[in-house]
Amino acid sequence: DSGVDRSGALVAADHHARARRRPVGSRAGCIAMCSGRGGSGCLDGESIVLDKLSEYEARYEELSAQMSDPAISQNPTQYQKLARELGDLQDLVNLAGLYRQARGQLSEAEEIIADGSDAELVELAMVERDELAAEVLRMEEECKVLLIPKDPNDGRNAIVEIRAGAGGDEAGLFASDLFRMYHRFAERKSLKTEELSSSQNPAGGFKEAVFVVSGKGAFGQLKFESGVHRVQRVPKTEASGRIHTSAASVAVLPEAEEVEVEIAPEDLKIEVYRSSGPGGQSVNTTDSAVKITHEPTGIVVSCQDEKSQLKNKNKALKILRARLYDKFQAEQKAERDATRAGQIGTGDRSAKIRTYNFPQGRVTDHRIGLSLYRLEEILDGDFGDFIEQLALASQEDALAEVSATSKSA
């Protein structure tokens, strides 16, 4: 199975392949000519990478020193936090050492060539220079990948919300198809699911379904699914055989911990009522359903799936907490950069992201222009190819942003 957790290696492999294909006489040759004894070249790209590496190496040394502090070791929470950050930097610091070493060897080869006193040694140095120049370029590209800031939410559980859109009963049936698709995906990835809330339409489809996907990297694997999903097919109720277009929206939120989102009790309006729709006798005959309104933001969450009012309340609070966390993050992101709204990975839930065309057996992701003619397999949860390519495109955007930020600094 392909997944987002492999995308970093794929990006690195792609850059390595491009580095190997590039003629030494182009940029690699320029690296060879521009390298100096101090390990500093004349190329902007190299100096940008070196500056960034120096920042992270300094942070690594700072963290190492902090972890040896007895006061830190007596604070398990702080110690674990520092240990995680240190571990995240380990690969980059190791690669930085190899990168500087290769640049130093390249400088030595250039000095031998420039000296020119030993023809045989010069010939060997020229061969070594070309190999080292290509190696330096490869490492530079790999460093750029590791310099991409990680999404701190990738490791969290995901709360998935599916809502029927335009298309009446057919939209509800399509929402049910998406519900099953994500559950099958979770099974394939050994992730767990837990239903939080749902409501059905008369045709048996979902008006709305909310559930948690938990496990390693759940949010990171599903975050690109946010948006409007469109289906083109002949509905079962269509006697004339005409193709209809319907839609359902998907929102994927990182699950928030209680300590991260403080909800003041006085900000909540909690109402209880009798459940409606399918269910056992105790579900429909007691006031077990719960509706919570967060008055400062106007966010409303309802839950009626459980027989217990307390369980419904806890589930509703979990959904509310995730929506508030998502709202706060969205506001912060808008303040940082309002221009990135159209880029991959922003999770714009109003944008049409994917079309499922049944007559052609085709699924098209409009963000990256990728069409796969495996509709049945994709609806059975096998859509890892989309996740992989979306993650790759997102990382390429992030690489460009890292370079642009460094150049403007």
Side-chain angles (χ1 to χ4, degrees):
D1 285 337
S2 54
V4 74
D5 51 321
R6 293 169 47 200
S7 60
L10 287 168
V11 174
D14 177 62
H15 284 301
H16 296 176
R18 280 187 280 175
R20 286 194 297 269
R21 290 195 298 268
R22 189 176 303 185
V24 170
S26 58
R27 184 161 173 223
C30 184
I31 288 176
M33 291 185 288
C34 293
S35 297
R37 163 62 69 182
S40 60
C42 66
L43 290 174
D44 288 343
E46 285 183 283
S47 61
I48 289 167
V49 170
L50 287 169
D51 288 345
K52 284 285 184 181
L53 289 176
S54 295
E55 292 176 17
Y56 283 98
E57 286 172 320
R59 177 57 180 164
Y60 184 87
E61 293 299 325
E62 180 184 351
L63 289 169
S64 299
Q66 288 181 15
M67 292 199 53
S68 62
D69 185 341
I72 295 293
S73 62
Q74 293 174 9
N75 185 336
T77 302
Q78 181 69 5
Y79 186 86
Q80 289 177 2
K81 180 181 178 182
L82 294 176
R84 281 195 298 269
E85 186 179 354
L86 192 71
D88 289 341
L89 291 176
Q90 186 69 61
D91 288 344
L92 181 60
V93 170
N94 290 344
L95 181 61
L98 295 173
Y99 178 60
R100 294 182 190 281
Q101 180 181 346
R103 286 174 58 83
Q105 292 171 345
L106 179 58
S107 296
E108 291 176 3
E110 281 296 323
E111 288 181 0
I112 293 173
I113 295 170
D115 178 67
S117 59
D118 187 326
E120 185 176 351
L121 199 57
V122 167
E123 185 177 351
L124 291 172
M126 290 180 70
V127 174
E128 187 177 76
R129 179 196 63 184
D130 292 346
E131 293 176 351
L132 286 168
E135 182 70 3
V136 166
L137 183 59
R138 180 191 68 77
M139 287 186 179
E140 180 187 320
E141 296 295 339
E142 191 170 349
C143 284
K144 287 180 181 179
V145 173
L146 292 177
L147 285 169
I148 296 173
K150 293 183 179 179
D151 185 340
N153 291 322
D154 278 354
R156 294 176 182 263
N157 296 338
I159 291 183
V160 182
E161 302 182 353
I162 304 173
R163 293 180 179 84
D169 288 345
E170 170 63 13
L173 293 172
F174 179 51
S176 298
D177 291 338
L178 294 177
F179 178 87
R180 180 183 180 277
M181 180 180 79
Y182 293 127
H183 278 69
R184 288 288 295 122
F185 174 82
E187 291 174 13
R188 290 172 179 269
K189 299 295 181 180
S190 300
L191 302 172
K192 296 180 180 179
T193 58
E194 177 192 357
E195 320 311 323
L196 294 181
S197 175
S198 65
S199 60
Q200 293 184 312
N201 63 20
F206 282 119
K207 292 180 182 177
E208 177 184 272
V210 184
F211 55 95
V212 178
V213 181
S214 58
K216 185 177 180 181
F219 178 76
Q221 296 184 64
L222 289 169
K223 64 182 179 181
F224 296 111
E225 293 301 299
S226 288
V228 176
H229 296 242
R230 186 178 67 165
V231 63
Q232 295 172 328
R233 64 184 175 188
V234 178
K236 295 178 181 178
T237 56
E238 176 59 55
S240 65
R242 291 183 303 169
I243 296 174
H244 285 231
T245 298
S246 304
S249 65
V250 175
V252 181
L253 316 177
E255 185 178 22
E257 301 294 336
E258 291 186 32
V259 295
E260 294 172 314
V261 179
E262 293 185 10
I263 302 176
E266 59 269 23
D267 290 339
L268 300 180
K269 179 183 177 182
I270 302 176
E271 303 169 79
V272 296
Y273 59 96
R274 190 160 298 179
S275 301
S276 60
Q281 59 181 8
S282 59
V283 172
N284 295 320
T285 59
T286 62
D287 291 336
S288 58
V290 175
K291 177 182 177 181
I292 300 178
T293 302
H294 185 253
E295 295 186 327
T297 61
I299 295 175
V300 179
V301 179
S302 299
C303 190
Q304 62 174 16
D305 288 9
E306 298 288 344
K307 298 177 182 180
S308 163
Q309 186 184 111
L310 179 60
K311 287 183 179 179
N312 282 326
K313 179 183 176 182
N314 289 337
K315 284 188 173 184
L317 284 172
K318 180 179 285 191
I319 298 171
L320 176 62
R321 196 173 292 115
R323 290 183 186 175
L324 287 171
Y325 182 72
D326 183 64
K327 175 180 170 62
F328 298 151
Q329 282 204 316
E331 290 172 351
Q332 291 173 354
K333 188 170 187 177
E335 291 174 4
R336 288 195 305 266
D337 189 356
T339 64
R340 288 180 57 84
Q343 293 189 6
I344 290 173
T346 59
D348 181 359
R349 293 172 202 124
S350 64
K352 179 186 71 177
I353 64 166
R354 198 173 294 156
T355 296
Y356 303 74
N357 186 297
F358 274 68
Q360 298 178 14
R362 169 179 57 83
V363 181
T364 298
D365 195 292
H366 303 288
R367 295 164 292 181
I368 52 176
L370 175 63
S371 292
L372 299 176
Y373 290 83
R374 299 191 299 104
L375 186 143
E376 293 299 329
E377 292 93 331
I378 289 168
L379 286 175
D380 193 44
D382 185 12
F383 56 90
D385 288 340
F386 282 128
I387 291 176
E388 191 172 276
Q389 293 304 314
L390 286 162
L392 181 61
S394 179
Q395 287 197 331
E396 288 175 350
D397 284 346
L399 277 171
E401 188 176 359
V402 166
S403 297
T405 302
S406 301
K407 288 177 181 177
S408 63

